[in-house]
Amino acid sequence: MFAGYDSRDIVANLGEIFTYDASEPMLFSSGTFWALFLVFIPVYALLKKRMWQMTGFVVAFSFYFYYKSSGLFVVLLAATSVFDWTLSRLMVRTERRALRRLCVALSLMTSLGILAYFKYANFFMWNLSAMVGSNFQPLDLILPVGISFYTFQSVSYIIDVYKGRVKPTATWLEYAFFLSFFPALVAGPIVRADYFLPQIRANHRAVKAEIYMGFWLVILGVVKKAIIADYIAGYNDMVFDAPGAYHGFEALMGIIGYTMQIYCDFSGYSDMAIGIALIMGFKLAPNFNFPYKSRNLTDFWRRWHISLSTWLRDYVYIPLGGNRHGTARTYVNNFATMLIGGLWHGAAWKFIFWGAMHGAGLAVHKASKPLMERLGDSFAIKVFSWLLTITVVALLWVFFRAASFGDSVKIISSVFDGFSLAYALPFAAARTLWLVMLLLIVAAHCLPTRFWDKAAATFVRSPWLVKLVVFLVVVQLVVELRGEDVAPFIYFQF
């Protein structure tokens, strides 16, 4: 017996570490993950020079991480990896085009079929029952965490192997490393085989500057997610959970707040994922580039969720014909691509509408280019373009967040119902810190990119004591501002 604990306490604590708890999935922003990562990283460093031992250890940890995030659905991830790897090896062993196409078809039907079952079965069956007037009872389905992300990775890998863009991995272990790499597994960025597989084979050991840069990105991600996003979510949730119950100014603040929340939440996760990978010696592509600076929707999608937008471009938009078949076809391809992007985010009409409106917005922007060129690029035009873009983006985020299409309409309508600036001062007095956090995100977008590059470089060069102080300050802020529970990342549900 030690310090009040007996063997049963120790066994119980170990059981919590190695068993899945649906109420507490593994999150980058949780203390449990970082405690485990501190155990993981020295073992990883010791095995780094032993390629296959290191690969096996990372795959094992990634599967464990996914088990702690999604329970027994880890079996589905493992089965997907085995099936797709087997088909990829079969493709390179035959020159028969029909057999190669059959392998691709089997992989796509299996991966997309599993995704469709878990994510869209109830949606399609509910709509079908509504059309025929039957009484539909929803299936008891739980969406596996991150299935949309690793499915897209699986699809792109099989297509790239078929087209000869990448060589298939020689072993299942190497492919499992790519598909299950835990920093990017449950919420991206979506990893592409042609970018990541060479890094596995190179087995690069991170130098000191890369480790510190990874540490900087992790701290930045924690600030965005665990401090800003989680704090401002409190008020936003009240507005969205009671559509139509708030006056115009309050509803508008909720819309603006969610616009900032989803950016901080998702880009914060991406920063942490990229930072953890960099500490391990792997580079993941940037996923966000100050999207709210955009002056049109085309630029917005070059800056927001970059790994998804480039995936949709390469595997949906271009195969549909891209811009190669005339103006009208280009608009249709844009619209169809964003429609698929909306459906990827969720099985609901509000997501389809969200994607459709972004697709229509992309078409409108392309159609208005001749007019914009004639108007020039004056300061007034820049301000108007930015204001129009951010307004469209923010209003469409309402459909993304609200519980239903009808609730979205209620919330937007309430902005124009009794809107009065008289609420501004009382709101500011009551929610001063909330407004300060919003202004921090606005300021971050206003500063030039080179400022953040210099800030990162300064942190990397700073003495270890400065790094420690920055880390402790961030930890203290998290402790002071956190709620009772660790809030899940928004994109976990996709």
Side-chain angles (χ1 to χ4, degrees), residues 161-393:
V161 169
Y162 172 75
K163 293 190 173 182
R165 294 171 183 161
V166 298
K167 293 182 178 180
T169 62
T171 65
W172 168 81
L173 201 61
E174 189 179 2
Y175 178 67
F177 191 114
F178 155 73
L179 191 66
S180 68
F181 187 55
F182 72 90
L185 176 58
V186 297
I190 298 171
V191 179
R192 302 278 280 273
D194 59 347
Y195 181 78
F196 193 72
L197 289 179
Q199 296 186 56
I200 300 176
R201 294 156 186 162
N203 196 23
H204 169 70
R205 181 184 288 272
V207 298
K208 187 181 294 185
E210 291 172 330
I211 294 173
Y212 289 152
M213 178 59 74
F215 189 37
W216 162 262
L217 289 171
V218 168
I219 290 175
L220 195 62
V222 170
V223 169
K224 288 180 180 179
K225 162 59 182 171
I227 296 177
I228 298 177
D230 286 357
Y231 183 83
I232 65 177
Y235 176 75
N236 304 337
D237 289 346
M238 289 192 298
V239 172
F240 282 92
D241 290 345
Y246 289 82
H247 290 287
F249 183 84
E250 296 170 315
L252 178 62
M253 289 298 100
I255 293 172
I256 295 173
Y258 184 72
T259 299
M260 300 305 175
Q261 177 195 344
I262 192 171
Y263 165 72
C264 289
D265 191 286
F266 194 17
S267 70
Y269 181 94
S270 293
D271 287 340
M272 284 187 266
I274 294 169
I276 292 169
L278 195 57
I279 290 171
M280 295 172 61
F282 294 92
K283 292 182 179 179
L284 301 181
N287 210 23
F288 289 86
N289 182 21
F290 298 101
Y292 295 152
K293 285 184 176 182
S294 307
R295 299 207 302 270
N296 55 70
L297 286 182
T298 300
D299 191 37
F300 174 79
W301 280 104
R302 292 187 183 124
R303 295 171 176 268
W304 177 274
H305 202 347
I306 299 169
S307 64
L308 174 64
S309 58
T310 54
W311 194 99
L312 290 171
R313 179 198 66 198
D314 294 344
Y315 297 98
V316 179
Y317 176 70
I318 292 177
L320 285 175
N323 59 1
R324 301 189 301 273
H325 302 290
T327 303
R329 178 68 179 274
T330 299
Y331 296 161
V332 171
N333 292 341
N334 268 316
F335 185 81
T337 300
M338 293 310 301
L339 203 63
I340 292 171
L343 191 59
W344 177 87
H345 282 87
W349 284 109
K350 62 174 188 166
F351 290 114
I352 295 174
F353 177 80
W354 176 81
M357 290 301 98
H358 270 283
L362 291 173
V364 169
H365 169 246
K366 286 179 169 57
S368 64
K369 277 186 177 181
L371 174 61
M372 298 302 294
E373 289 173 357
R374 288 197 298 270
L375 291 174
D377 200 27
S378 65
F379 177 75
I381 293 296
K382 289 179 180 179
V383 171
F384 173 78
S385 299
W386 171 81
L387 187 60
L388 179 62
T389 302
I390 195 66
T391 299
V392 170
V393 168

Side-chain angles (χ1 to χ4, degrees), residues 81-238:
S81 66
V82 171
F83 187 67
D84 284 341
W85 178 77
T86 302
L87 290 175
S88 71
R89 294 305 305 171
L90 184 59
M91 273 196 286
V92 298
R93 291 178 181 176
T94 181
E95 295 183 356
R96 295 171 57 190
R97 191 174 183 183
L99 183 56
R100 288 168 57 83
R101 285 185 170 181
L102 178 61
C103 290
V104 174
L106 285 173
S107 175
L108 296 185
M109 285 190 297
T110 303
S111 295
L112 296 177
I114 292 171
L115 176 64
Y117 173 72
F118 282 105
K119 196 167 185 175
Y120 305 109
N122 279 325
F123 173 69
F124 286 121
M125 291 174 69
W126 179 85
N127 281 280
L128 180 61
S129 66
M131 292 172 62
V132 301
S134 64
N135 185 20
F136 170 64
Q137 296 299 320
L139 302 173
D140 187 17
L141 296 176
I142 299 174
L143 182 67
V145 171
I147 189 172
S148 297
F149 290 92
Y150 75 71
T151 295
F152 271 23
Q153 286 186 202
S154 170
V155 168
S156 63
Y157 172 80
I158 287 293
I159 292 174
D160 287 351
V161 169
Y162 172 75
K163 293 190 173 182
R165 294 171 183 161
V166 298
K167 293 182 178 180
T169 62
T171 65
W172 168 81
L173 201 61
E174 189 179 2
Y175 178 67
F177 191 114
F178 155 73
L179 191 66
S180 68
F181 187 55
F182 72 90
L185 176 58
V186 297
I190 298 171
V191 179
R192 302 278 280 273
D194 59 347
Y195 181 78
F196 193 72
L197 289 179
Q199 296 186 56
I200 300 176
R201 294 156 186 162
N203 196 23
H204 169 70
R205 181 184 288 272
V207 298
K208 187 181 294 185
E210 291 172 330
I211 294 173
Y212 289 152
M213 178 59 74
F215 189 37
W216 162 262
L217 289 171
V218 168
I219 290 175
L220 195 62
V222 170
V223 169
K224 288 180 180 179
K225 162 59 182 171
I227 296 177
I228 298 177
D230 286 357
Y231 183 83
I232 65 177
Y235 176 75
N236 304 337
D237 289 346
M238 289 192 298

